Amino acid sequence: MHKQRAFIGHHGPELLDDGTTRFRIWAPDAQNVSLIVVGAQTLPMTANEDGWYSIDAPYGAGTLYRFLIDDELQVPDPASRAQAGDVHAPSLVVDTSSNYLWRNPNWLGRPWEETVLYEMHVGLYGGFTAMEKHLADLAELGVTAIELMPIAEFPGDRNWGYDGVLPYAPEAAYGSPEELKHLIDTAHGLGLMVFLDVVYNHFGPDGNYLGRYAKHFFRHDQQTPWGDGIDFRRREVRDFFIDNTLMWLLDYRFDGLRFDAVHAIPDRSFLTELAERVHASVEPGRHVHLVLENEDNRASLLTAGFTAQWNDDGHNVLHALLTDESQGYYADYHQDATTKLARFLGEGFIYQGQNNRRGEARGEPSGHLPPTSFVLFLQNHDQTGNRAFGERLVSLADADALRAATAVLLLSPMVPLLFMGEEWGARQPFLFFTSHHGELADAVREGRRNEFAEFAEFADEATRERIPDPNAVSTFENSRPDFSARQEPGHSEWYALYRELLSIRHREIVPRLQGARFLESRVLAQAAVLSRWQLGDGSRLRLELNLGTQAAPLPTASISGELLFASREATHAHDQLAPRMARLYLEKAT
């Protein structure tokens, strides 16, 4: 068992050696601030320079407290380490240095090349403690890293997590900080890394009081899809989020973070400073990975301290080919899809400066990056849950074509991400859910339905009303995967496929990934391509992929290699690739 010293940042309470606690808050627009100790007393705080207020008070771990702004508004600590209930409840002082004894203190993570990510929603598993029961099965399957959807305190007890308003506090409905640490510790004991999805581009609509006493946390001249942008030009704001990153990595020992929608963070220097601070702060030899979601395809960030980016381009073109869907953003990928499929497999991003359907240039060249700079997925919370009825691919795509795409997902040199339940072909939907109340609940419900008004199948209001209410408990419950179905007919076959492919990946691909690079990718026929990658040991990986309905001609000059996997039996001549089929070969270095 091992205690570790707590990370001390600029924001939030600090336990002092004499048993007291230093409380502090950045409130530049408040005339005065007091500390309310629940059940005890109210103490005026000292106004310091640059809008800070602080007080050293004779209270320790377990203390419940609030801040009183201008003698009229009680607010939680914006850097609360835990809440005694929901986002409007009192904050709780937590001793992050001695509240948990680590059983795996020498865990240093795993190299990025070994990563197989598995995205999970903690609430649908029943909380931190209940989630632990599933970890051994994931490790046995071949998953090497779980990725938790955001867990920062949000209003209510059901939410995707992107409505968080207290980014330092683990959601109380999921469990305590100690239970979160136990989950991470248990994962490490099984050889699993743990990643966390964090949201630094906005706050949720309920429970964020910063605008009342720290107006300059936001900038009104810059808008995001969620309102005023966050002002990352300010030192206090930068530290608020960088310290949050360091808390998750140092106090909780997460192995990596996924940064949500950084295209809504226009100040690139904040991102590069964050990466620099992380790499300077973690202990030598420890593997910590920083992963971006970035619609702008800023490839240059992937050589500036960030490990990889979610490859939406790869998902979108594969989805368009698997489902023939062309509405919304899939329109950018449905047209000339085969050429775009080849570009994604041969260079990473599809949009590298080209114009999208709106005539906007998007992206930067990416072919020089290693394939491991891209996180590939066929499903995730966004592309499943942002469908009106949350359907999974197994319900939308031809089974043979989906098996072929799954082979690409798990055997390409890109880093694969699975979405919970995908590996056994779960058919339960993953829906958009919240637990808002009153006018906000009404607005979210109507806003959700109006999102689909431009889609032909939802043109009439009666059809849109069939879209599940995000605030209904049934919407949440219907999104819970049936974990008992894994061994049932129709599901066990998918599970066996994922298990086989991950075994091949760890045996044949992972040991050769360091130093891998893109080599070539060319169109064979409609929806069919041939792609090759140079692996780190000099061998080459060759993919023959046909997602179309007609056989595709193969080059006449045969290329030798060991067949690693074929998604179905070959039923055509040796110079043709059957429809809806993938084959992968390893051409070993001589």
Side-chain angles (χ1 to χ4, degrees), residues 398 400-405 524-529 543-554 566-583 585:
D398 172 83
D400 284 336
L402 184 53
R403 278 189 284 269
L524 298 176
Q526 180 70 26
V529 298
L543 166 68
E544 298 170 356
L545 175 65
N546 183 4
L547 295 178
T549 57
Q550 303 295 320
L554 290 168
S567 65
R568 54 182 297 199
E569 291 185 12
T571 57
H572 290 71
H574 70 279
D575 60 347
Q576 289 188 319
L577 183 63
R580 293 168 173 164
M581 181 176 184
R583 283 196 297 244
Y585 294 86

Side-chain angles (χ1 to χ4, degrees), residues 76-371:
D77 187 340
S80 167
R81 275 16 181 211
Q83 288 293 103
D86 206 4
V87 295
H88 304 287
S91 300
L92 177 68
V93 177
V94 174
D95 184 352
T96 55
S97 62
S98 63
N99 66 337
Y100 184 79
L101 298 176
W102 292 91
R103 295 165 294 157
N104 298 284
N106 298 320
W107 169 263
L108 295 175
R110 300 180 66 155
W112 178 245
E113 290 79 12
E114 298 178 5
T115 304
V116 175
L117 287 157
Y118 189 93
E119 188 183 22
M120 312 170 81
H121 184 278
V122 176
L124 292 176
Y125 280 80
F128 299 131
T129 299
M131 180 177 275
E132 283 190 32
K133 302 173 185 176
H134 298 268
L135 298 184
D137 285 343
L138 293 175
E140 195 271 339
L141 174 65
V143 168
T144 64
I146 61 170
E147 180 174 308
L148 309 183
M149 288 177 64
I151 60 171
E153 271 284 358
F154 51 74
D157 56 8
R158 303 180 309 278
N159 200 291
W160 273 19
Y162 300 91
D163 287 337
V165 293
L166 298 174
Y168 286 77
E171 169 58 38
Y174 295 165
S176 67
E178 293 85 351
E179 289 169 329
L180 173 57
K181 289 183 177 181
H182 196 276
L183 168 69
I184 296 167
D185 204 4
T186 299
H188 290 168
L190 293 166
L192 292 169
M193 295 183 285
V194 187
F195 286 65
L196 178 63
D197 194 343
V198 295
V199 183
Y200 292 167
N201 50 59
H202 76 287
F203 291 85
D206 180 19
N208 172 27
Y209 297 96
L210 283 164
R212 165 62 178 81
Y213 57 83
K215 296 183 177 66
H216 297 295
F217 207 99
F218 305 94
R219 51 184 305 181
H220 311 300
D221 62 332
Q222 204 168 70
Q223 294 296 302
T224 74
W226 310 281
D228 288 346
I230 294 172
D231 194 351
F232 289 98
R233 298 170 300 181
R234 294 187 174 274
R235 181 76 265 158
E236 296 85 358
V237 175
R238 286 188 175 221
D239 286 339
F240 184 85
F241 291 107
I242 292 174
D243 287 353
N244 182 251
T245 291
L246 293 174
M247 181 200 73
W248 292 125
L249 295 174
L250 300 180
D251 283 352
Y252 287 89
R253 299 195 64 79
F254 278 97
D255 299 279
L257 300 178
R258 180 258 193 190
F259 297 90
D260 177 70
V262 300
H263 48 270
I265 300 175
D267 193 332
R268 175 183 169 130
S269 67
F270 162 72
L271 294 172
T272 54
E273 181 187 346
L274 182 152
E276 290 169 359
R277 289 272 301 276
V278 166
H279 295 303
S281 299
V282 298
E283 58 263 45
R286 184 177 167 201
H287 297 284
V288 167
H289 311 296
L290 307 179
V291 181
L292 299 171
E293 181 198 23
N294 188 353
E295 287 184 3
D296 291 339
N297 284 0
R298 296 296 180 200
S300 52
L301 283 171
L302 302 180
T303 57
F306 291 92
T307 311
Q309 179 178 313
W310 275 30
N311 195 349
D312 288 323
D313 280 1
H315 165 274
N316 292 347
V317 72
L318 286 168
H319 185 97
L321 286 164
L322 288 169
T323 66
D324 200 34
E325 292 180 1
S326 60
Q327 299 195 74
Y329 53 78
Y330 290 126
D332 282 334
Y333 301 88
H334 188 271
Q335 184 176 17
D336 202 15
T338 308
T339 300
K340 290 171 180 172
L341 175 67
R343 188 184 305 147
F344 138 65
L345 291 169
E347 301 177 41
F349 293 142
I350 292 172
Y351 284 90
Q352 303 179 38
Q354 296 89 346
N355 288 344
N356 61 17
R357 68 190 184 283
R358 299 188 181 95
E360 302 162 342
R362 173 175 167 243
E364 297 173 347
S366 61
H368 62 287
L369 296 170

Side-chain angles (χ1 to χ4, degrees), residues 350-393:
I350 292 172
Y351 284 90
Q352 303 179 38
Q354 296 89 346
N355 288 344
N356 61 17
R357 68 190 184 283
R358 299 188 181 95
E360 302 162 342
R362 173 175 167 243
E364 297 173 347
S366 61
H368 62 287
L369 296 170
T372 50
S373 295
F374 305 91
V375 174
L376 179 60
F377 43 86
L378 295 177
Q379 302 175 81
N380 64 32
H381 72 273
D382 266 332
Q383 276 85 6
T384 304
N386 282 330
R387 303 180 65 83
F389 298 108
E391 306 98 323
R392 293 169 177 263
L393 264 181

Side-chain angles (χ1 to χ4, degrees), residues 453-491:
E454 65 181 77
F455 291 79
E457 61 266 42
F458 297 105
D460 65 282
E461 186 174 343
T463 304
R464 290 199 298 275
E465 287 183 358
R466 291 175 44 233
I467 297 172
D469 178 0
N471 299 291
V473 175
S474 59
T475 302
F476 173 80
E477 292 298 336
N478 290 339
S479 299
R480 197 187 302 274
D482 181 1
F483 301 107
S484 66
R486 194 178 73 191
Q487 301 302 331
E488 295 178 0
H491 296 287

